[in-house]
C-alpha cells in the first residue's frame, strides 16, 4: 500500500480546518489503496498549539489515516537529526533555512517534504489553513480525488482518469509529477482594497512582477488575471486535463507533487508572498506531465492581516515578492530556454542545473529593484492613509529589503545544493531519532 502525505502548515488558529482536512484524508483512505499521513506543521503561539493538539486528539480514528501534529520544537529536533546525518557543510545555516525565525511559505513546505520522506510517503499534497472546501449537493468536493487518481502514474495510464488529454505523446511515458487546481473567492493576495481605491495604482503595483522587457499589453494581461484564481464559478461537475500545467492555473493551497519535491526544494526566503511557487514553474518548464482539475478550494482572509500590525507585515511580504522577481524572472527565463534539457536520462530534474541558474541570478545588478522600490513608494503614497504611513516604513527598511532579496536567492541555491543529502538522510532506515520523533507525534 503506497503512502502519501497530506500536509497542513499553519501559524494561526485553525482547528476547524484541521478537522476538515482530516475528513479529506478519510475520503482518500476510503476511496484509494493508500495510507494517508496527515501532517500538521504548527508554527503558532503556545496557546494555539495547545488548541490544535486538542483538536487532533479529538479526531475520530480512521483506518489507514495517521495524524501527526508537530510544533516547532518537535520539528527542530527532527531537522537537527537529519542535518547531522546528512553531514552538510554549515549545518546551523541549513537549519535556519529549514526553520527560520520569521515566516517562510517555502520553508514550511520544505519541512513537509523532508518529513514525508521520513514517513515513506512518495507524494506530498498541500492545503492551507485559510481555506474551505466547496460542496456539491451537500457533499464536500475534495481535490485529493484527482491527486491520488493520477500522481505518480505514467501519463499514458493517467489518461484513463481525466476528462481530456492535451499532452504531447512523446511525454506520455513520464510519470505525472503534479496535480493541481486553483481557488475561488477572494484574491489570493490581499490587495483588493488597493484596486478599489485606485485602479491605476493597482496596475502599477501588480505589473511590477512582470519581466521588465514585457510590453504594456503583456503587463495589462498579467494584471487582469493575477491573484484571481478560477474566479467565482462554483463547482458543478468534474473536469480534468492531462497536460503540462500552466503555473497561472494552480495554487499552492491545492496542489500535489510526486518525486520532483525530493529533487529540488522550494525557496526558503522569509517574509515573501509567493515564495513557495517555484516547483510549479519547474514542472512546467521541464515538460513534466501534470493534471489540471477544477476542484477549486475557497480562499478567505483571516482577520489578523487587517490589523495595523498585520497590515504592515503583510505589505512587507508583498514588497519582497516584487523584489524577488528580479531573480526569479531571470531563473524562469533560463528554465524555459533549457526546457527538457533540465532532465537526466531517467526524466528526472537535475538539481545542479537549477542551482546553477540560481547562482547566476544572484549576480544580477539590483538597479531594477531600486526602481521597483521607487515605484512602490510612489504607489503607497498616492493611496494615502495607512498606505502612506507604510511608505514611510518602506523608506527606512528599503535598503535592507534589497539585501534580503539577494540573500534569499543565494540561500535557495545553497539549499538546492544540499537537498539531495537531506532527502537521503530523512529516508534512510538508520535515521532512528527523526523517526522516533514522528512516531511520538502520531495519534
Amino acid at each position: 500500500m503506497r503512502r502519501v502525505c497530506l500536509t497542513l502548515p499553519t501559524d494561526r488558529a485553525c482547528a476547524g480546518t484541521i478537522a476538515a482536512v482530516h475528513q479529506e484524508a478519510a475520503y482518500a483512505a476510503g476511496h484509494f489503496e493508500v495510507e494517508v499521513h496527515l501532517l500538521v506543521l504548527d508554527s503558532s503561539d503556545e496557546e494555539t498549539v495547545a488548541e490544535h493538539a486538542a483538536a487532533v486528539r479529538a479526531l475520530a480514528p480512521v483506518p489507514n489515516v495517521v495524524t501527526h501534529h508537530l510544533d516547532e520544537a518537535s520539528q527542530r529536533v527532527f531537522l537537527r537529526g537529519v542535518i547531522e546525518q546528512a553531514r552538510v557543510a554549515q549545518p546551523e545555516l541549513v537549519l535556519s533555512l529549514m526553520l527560520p525565525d520569521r515566516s517562510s511559505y517555502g520553508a514550511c513546505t520544505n519541512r513537509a517534504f523532508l518529513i514525508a520522506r521520513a514517513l515513506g510517503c512518495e507524494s506530498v499534497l498541500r492545503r492551507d489553513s485559510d481555506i474551505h472546501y466547496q460542496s456539491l449537493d451537500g457533499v464536500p468536493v475534495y481535490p485529493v480525488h484527482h491527486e491520488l487518481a493520477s500522481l505518480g502514474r505514467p501519463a499514458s495510464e493517467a489518461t484513463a482518469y481525466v476528462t481530456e488529454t492535451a499532452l504531447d505523446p512523446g511525454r506520455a511515458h513520464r510519470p505525472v509529477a503534479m496535480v493541481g487546481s486553483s481557488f475561488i473567492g477572494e484574491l489570493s493576495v490581499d490587495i483588493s482594497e488597493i484596486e478599489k481605491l485606485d485602479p491605476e495604482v493597482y496596475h502599477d503595483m501588480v505589473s511590477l512582477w512582470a519581466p521588465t522587457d514585457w510590453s504594456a499589453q503583456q503587463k495589462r494581461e498579467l494584471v487582469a488575471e493575477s491573484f484571481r484564481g478560477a474566479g467565482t464559478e462554483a463547482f458543478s461537475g468534474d473536469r480534468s486535463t492531462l497536460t503540462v500545467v500552466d503555473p497561472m492555473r494552480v495554487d499552492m493551497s491545492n496542489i500535489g507533487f510526486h518525486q520532483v519535491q525530493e529533487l529540488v526544494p522550494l525557496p526558503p526566503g522569509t517574509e515573501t508572498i509567493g515564495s513557495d511557487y517555484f516547483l510549479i514553474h519547474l514542472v512546467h518548464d521541464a515538460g513534466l506531465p501534470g493534471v489540471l482539475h477544477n476542484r477549486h478550494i475557497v480562499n478567505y482572509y483571516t482577520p489578523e492581516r487587517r490589523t495595523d500590525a498585520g497590515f504592515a507585515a503583510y505589505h512587507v511580504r508583498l514588497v519582497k515578492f516584487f523584489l524577488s522577481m528580479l531573480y526569479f524572472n531571470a531563473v524562469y527565463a533560463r528554465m524555459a530556454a533549457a526546457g527538457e534539457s533540465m532532465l537526466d536520462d531517467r526524466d528526472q530534474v537535475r538539481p545542479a542545473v537549477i542551482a546553477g541558474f540560481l547562482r547566476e541570478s544572484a549576480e544580477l545588478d539590483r538597479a531594477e529593484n531600486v526602481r521597483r522600490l521607487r515605484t512602490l513608494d510612489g504607489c503607497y503614497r498616492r493611496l494615502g492613509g495607512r498606505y502612506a504611513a507604510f511608505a514611510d516604513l518602506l523608506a527606512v527598511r528599503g535598503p535592507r529589503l534589497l539585501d534580503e532579496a539577494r540573500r534569499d536567492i543565494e540561500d535557495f541555491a545553497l539549499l538546492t545544493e544540499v537537498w539531495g543529502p537531506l532527502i537521503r538522510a530523512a529516508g534512510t532506515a538508520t535515521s532512528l531519532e527523526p523517526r522516533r520523533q514522528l512516531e511520538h507525534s502520531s495519534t
Side-chain angles (χ1 to χ4, degrees), residues 25-342:
Y27 173 93
H31 288 78
F32 297 90
E33 292 291 323
V34 293
E35 180 177 279
V36 182
H37 286 259
L38 172 57
L39 176 63
V40 181
L41 294 180
D42 204 337
S43 296
S44 308
D45 59 61
E46 188 174 329
E47 181 180 351
T48 304
V49 168
E51 292 174 3
H52 291 164
V56 168
R57 288 193 298 270
L59 297 172
V62 176
N64 294 324
V65 173
V66 184
T67 303
H68 309 267
H69 175 229
L70 276 70
D71 62 12
E72 285 203 345
S74 299
Q75 295 174 52
R76 185 172 287 104
V77 170
F78 170 81
L79 291 170
R80 282 196 179 280
V82 169
I83 290 169
E84 180 180 356
Q85 186 159 319
R87 298 182 178 179
V88 300
Q90 299 178 282
E92 290 302 317
L93 173 58
V94 173
L95 178 61
S96 72
L97 298 182
M98 290 299 303
L99 188 57
D101 57 7
R102 295 191 292 170
S103 171
S104 173
Y105 299 95
C108 67
T109 310
N110 285 337
R111 297 196 294 275
F113 291 159
L114 275 188
I115 294 170
R117 184 70 182 89
L119 292 168
C121 298
E122 59 184 47
S123 302
V124 179
L125 326 173
R126 193 184 109 167
R127 306 292 181 259
D128 279 353
S129 56
D130 51 356
I131 66 165
H132 296 307
Y133 295 102
Q134 291 194 76
S135 296
L136 181 63
D137 299 328
V139 179
V141 177
Y142 293 127
V144 75
H145 175 85
H146 289 290
E147 291 164 339
L148 296 188
S150 297
L151 270 177
R153 292 183 185 273
S156 56
E157 294 180 12
T159 57
Y161 301 94
V162 296
T163 55
E164 180 183 1
T165 297
L167 185 73
D168 184 332
R171 296 168 170 165
H173 64 287
R174 294 175 182 160
V176 174
M178 184 179 79
V179 176
S181 187
S182 191
F183 64 91
I184 63 172
E186 301 188 79
L187 299 183
S188 60
V189 176
D190 189 0
I191 54 176
S192 56
E193 182 182 62
I194 295 177
E195 186 175 25
K196 293 174 183 175
L197 289 171
D198 192 324
E200 289 187 5
V201 167
Y202 180 87
H203 171 274
D204 291 348
M205 290 182 69
V206 175
S207 63
L208 288 175
W209 78 295
T212 54
D213 60 353
W214 274 21
S215 69
Q217 179 60 31
Q218 285 176 304
K219 291 179 180 179
R220 281 193 294 271
E221 292 172 357
L222 176 69
V223 172
E225 68 173 321
S226 293
F227 315 131
R228 300 184 188 279
T232 58
E233 182 182 355
F235 180 85
S236 59
D238 279 305
R239 297 190 305 276
S240 56
T241 304
L242 178 66
T243 185
V244 175
V245 176
D246 181 346
M248 293 293 287
R249 300 289 169 257
V250 291
D251 189 80
M252 276 298 291
S253 62
N254 192 350
I255 200 83
F257 292 109
H258 179 81
Q259 190 179 71
V260 67
Q261 78 281 356
E262 296 189 354
L263 301 170
V264 177
L266 291 168
T270 58
E271 305 295 352
T272 307
I273 288 168
S275 61
D276 50 350
Y277 280 70
F278 186 83
L279 290 184
I280 295 173
H281 291 268
L282 178 57
V283 168
H284 173 271
D285 292 342
L288 297 176
V291 170
L292 177 66
H293 63 87
N294 68 329
R295 293 195 172 204
H296 310 303
I297 53 85
V298 181
N299 181 57
Y300 69 93
Y301 296 146
T302 54
E304 182 274 337
R305 71 180 66 177
R306 300 293 172 84
T307 65
D308 288 341
F311 175 87
Y314 192 84
H315 280 273
V316 166
R317 297 173 188 180
L318 180 63
V319 168
K320 280 199 67 182
F321 163 72
F322 292 129
L323 297 180
S324 75
M325 296 318 298
L326 166 64
Y327 307 103
F328 283 119
N329 282 336
V331 175
Y332 295 157
R334 290 298 307 273
M335 293 197 308
E340 297 184 8
S341 71
M342 292 186 290

